[in-house]
Amino acid sequence: MKYVVNGLIALVGILGTGAVAGIAAILMAAFEMTGSCFEGACAYTAVFLVFPFLWIVLMVIFFAIWMSIRRKRKALAIGRP
């Protein structure tokens, strides 16, 4: 059961960070933060540059926080009977 829950948390983390990265990339393209939107160039930049980079960064942050929470839980559970 522990492995199923951990797998679901990881899956939700991957999909959630992907959704947040996608929304952020779309908003960045809409507000022209990714450069000039001449003939859709800002959309290509958002899809092929901003989205993958942002997704990787958010996944690393998510898994670092998740592992630190798991480590603290295990440390607290050791002293319990």
Side-chain angles (χ1 to χ4, degrees), residues 21-58:
I23 291 168
I26 290 169
L27 289 175
M28 287 176 74
F31 290 117
E32 295 184 8
M33 295 174 69
T34 57
S36 174
C37 282
F38 180 70
E39 293 188 7
C42 62
Y44 285 113
T45 305
V47 170
F48 294 114
L49 183 69
V50 174
F51 172 70
F53 180 73
L54 191 58
W55 193 2
I56 290 169
V57 169
L58 289 176

